[in-house]
């Protein structure tokens, strides 16, 4: 581990920066927490297509034997309960951890929950830890194209070979638990077990673990995260988690463990109250965005934005983040505070982390499939917004980052989502929308989605194409009709599944 500490600023500099930060805090306190700082499903935005270090989304294995083995594992996993069928308990995953020898206890963990922004925040935390020469394991969901994306070591998805090996290593123990429980382990529970086993086997110095849904009874919640990160909470999965941010916070606050450090992004008031109460009950230390840390300044730059962040240990300036949108700047502040807390900054020590290392880490951050440019002329952007708050933030980021004179939307959504709220958020920026459906068994039919879209956009601005490939072609054609000056674009959105399938189609030409 290389944890270099620079000299602190002088007293005069501290007074000046404190004054500036106090002004920023006052400004942030006036923002609507349900709209201005809630990030939708870890969106990122790049001015150039693809991540700066190559495409980090794994393709299907070239070796036919490996591809066949991976497919067999995926088929076996698909026979289990899907991620939308839940029995709210950690009983089964705890039993699996027990027979595996508690692999999740072999390393410290940073646990991340929230409604939006979890994956991008987890990626930023991972990048910072890697820059300080720690070996990391990252577990996130859902995946964009390949299930192997969910389990990463040192910033890269594990290989298909390793994924298959890990599955067969724990399979006998999974079957043992299946036989002893009323319900078999679910798809997500088995993957969680695989991740924890793979991290212990590597071994990693620290795991960055994203909650699948909720917190208290989520399968990931068999770890004791020394740092609990809670990104902005808004309404999603209301049938399972609650109908208000405060109710949802009750579930998400379940990841806050005894004596942990809680990094709290800006929250709706009722959610913040619940989370702070939980922290008091378990003697956790809390760092709050807009109080103990936050974004001091941000400027749009070529390929991203330049930031000055206030961490719990000091100020970090000259940070280039290759992602657009105010929400991403706030995610960066949360990630920085989480890593400071992990290293004991603000508790055992008062000085900030090495500035050059922090700069290098943030400059390397990517998030494939979230506000990702995959084509030019016209520009096609992919984004996984799937709830109204997330869609609102996406609309703001697109408006800020792109000078589109005409933007065509392509949307396919899952059943049970607030699609009207999502459509209303996008209506001001879409000239027209092409509604379609993805291949998921949970997909809302194109006709059903079109009926809602007509209510929001009117019949003249809605086109229906049941096949996603036809919808993409139609949207590109609509954009090209008005593209003499290069000002048209296409935004594909609605769900991670939609984005993943569109990504495959567009990258294949």
């Amino acid at each position: 581990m290389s944890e270099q500490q620079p000299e602190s600023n002088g007293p005069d500099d501290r007074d000046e920066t404190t004054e500036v930060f106090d002004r920023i805090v006052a400004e942030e306190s006036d923002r609507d927490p349900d709209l201005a700082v809630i990030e939708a499903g870890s969106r990122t935005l790049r001015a150039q297509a693809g991540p700066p270090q190559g495409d980090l989304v794994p393709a299907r294995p070239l070796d036919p034997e490996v591809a066949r083995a991976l497919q067999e594992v995926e088929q076996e996993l698909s026979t289990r309960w899907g991620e939308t069928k839940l029995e709210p308990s950690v009983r089964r995953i705890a039993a699996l951890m027990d027979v595996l020898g508690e692999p999740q206890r072999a390393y410290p963990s940073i646990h991340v929950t929230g409604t939006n922004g979890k994956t991008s925040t987890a990626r930023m935390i991972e990048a910072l830890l890697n820059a300080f020469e720690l070996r990391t394991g990252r577990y996130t969901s859902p995946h964009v194209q390949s299930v192997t994306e969910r389990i990463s070591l040192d910033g890269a998805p594990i290989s298909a070979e390793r994924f298959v090996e890990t599955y067969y290593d724990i399979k006998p123990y999974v079957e043992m638990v299946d036989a002893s429980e009323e319900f078999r382990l679910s798809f997500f529970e088995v993957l969680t077990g695989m991740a924890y086993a793979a991290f212990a086997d590597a071994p990693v110095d620290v795991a960055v673990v994203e909650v699948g849904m909720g917190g208290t009874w989520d399968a990931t919640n068999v770890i004791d995260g020394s740092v609990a990160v809670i990104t902005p909470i808004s309404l999603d999965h209301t049938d399972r988690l609650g109908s208000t941010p405060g109710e949802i916070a009750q579930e998400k606050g379940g990841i806050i463990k005894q004596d942990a450090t809680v990094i709290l992004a800006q929250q709706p008031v009722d959610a913040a109250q619940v989370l702070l109460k939980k922290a008091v009950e378990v003697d956790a230390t809390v760092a709050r965005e807009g109080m103990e840390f936050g974004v001091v300044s941000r400027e749009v730059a070529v390929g991203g934005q330049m930031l000055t962040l206030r961490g719990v240990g000091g100020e970090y300036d000259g940070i280039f983040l290759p992602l657009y949108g105010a929400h991403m700047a706030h995610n960066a502040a949360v990630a920085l505070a989480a890593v400071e807390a992990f290293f004991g900054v603000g508790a055992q020590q008062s000085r900030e982390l090495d500035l050059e290392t922090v700069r290098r880490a943030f400059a390397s951050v990517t998030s494939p499939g979230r506000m990702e440019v995959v084509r030019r002329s016209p520009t096609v952007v992919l984004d996984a917004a799937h709830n109204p708050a997330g869609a609102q933030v996406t609309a703001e980021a697109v408006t800020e980052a792109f000078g589109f004179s005409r933007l065509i939307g392509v949307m396919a959504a899952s059943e049970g989502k607030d699609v009207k709220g999502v459509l209303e958020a996008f209506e001001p920026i879409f000239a027209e929308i092409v509604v379609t459906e993805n291949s998921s068994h949970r997909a809302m039919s194109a006709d059903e989605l079109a009926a809602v879209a007509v209510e929001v956009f009117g019949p003249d601005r809605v086109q229906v194409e049941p096949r996603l490939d036809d919808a993409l072609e139609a949207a590109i054609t609509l954009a090209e009709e008005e593209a003499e000056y290069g000002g048209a674009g296409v935004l594909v959105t609605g769900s991670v599944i939609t984005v993943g399938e569109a990504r495959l189609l567009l990258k294949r030409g």
Side-chain angles (χ1 to χ4, degrees), residues 202-254:
V204 301
D205 297 314
V206 54
V208 183
V209 177
E210 176 189 336
V211 163
M213 185 187 298
T216 300
W217 43 259
D218 186 73
T220 63
N221 203 29
V222 289
I223 57 173
D224 291 321
S226 59
V227 179
V229 178
I230 304 179
T231 66
I233 291 173
S234 63
L235 300 182
D236 200 7
H237 302 295
T238 54
D239 56 330
R240 296 180 177 90
L241 302 180
S243 59
T244 67
E247 290 177 357
I248 294 171
Q250 292 279 3
E251 287 295 331
K252 295 187 181 293

Side-chain angles (χ1 to χ4, degrees), residues 302-381:
V302 176
Q305 54 190 312
M306 293 297 300
L307 307 176
T308 297
L309 303 178
R310 174 71 174 268
V312 295
E315 188 163 300
Y316 302 78
D317 63 3
I319 293 174
F320 174 69
L321 184 67
L323 316 170
Y324 276 114
H327 58 290
M328 278 298 173
H330 292 283
N331 289 343
V334 170
L336 176 61
V339 173
E340 285 182 311
F342 180 78
F343 284 135
V345 174
Q348 287 88 13
Q349 53 184 299
S350 60
R351 293 191 300 171
E352 62 265 30
L353 301 174
D354 179 67
L355 178 59
E356 288 306 316
T357 305
V358 170
R359 286 173 174 167
R360 185 170 68 252
F362 277 118
S364 71
V365 172
T366 64
S367 195
R370 275 80 175 184
M371 285 298 286
E372 180 183 16
V373 177
V374 292
R375 172 181 165 147
R376 296 289 189 182
S377 300
T379 299
V380 179
V381 183

Side-chain angles (χ1 to χ4, degrees), residues 479-496:
E480 288 174 337
E481 290 175 357
E482 302 285 335
E484 311 100 49
Y485 304 105
V490 175
L491 175 63
V492 184
T493 189
S495 78
V496 175

Side-chain angles (χ1 to χ4, degrees), residues 154 232 303 361 420:
D154 294 326
K420 185 174 183 181

Side-chain angles (χ1 to χ4, degrees), residues 12-31 266 288-297 308-311 314-315:
D12 292 339
D13 290 337
R14 284 291 185 200
D15 291 342
E16 181 179 348
T17 56
T18 299
E19 181 179 344
V20 172
F21 187 70
D22 288 343
R23 174 175 54 79
I24 297 298
V25 169
E27 292 174 359
E28 291 193 3
S29 298
D30 294 333
R31 293 184 301 143
Q266 284 200 335
R288 301 156 294 177
E289 184 186 6
M291 299 298 288
E292 286 77 25
F293 69 93
V295 179
V296 174
S297 66
T308 297
L309 303 178
R310 174 71 174 268
E315 188 163 300

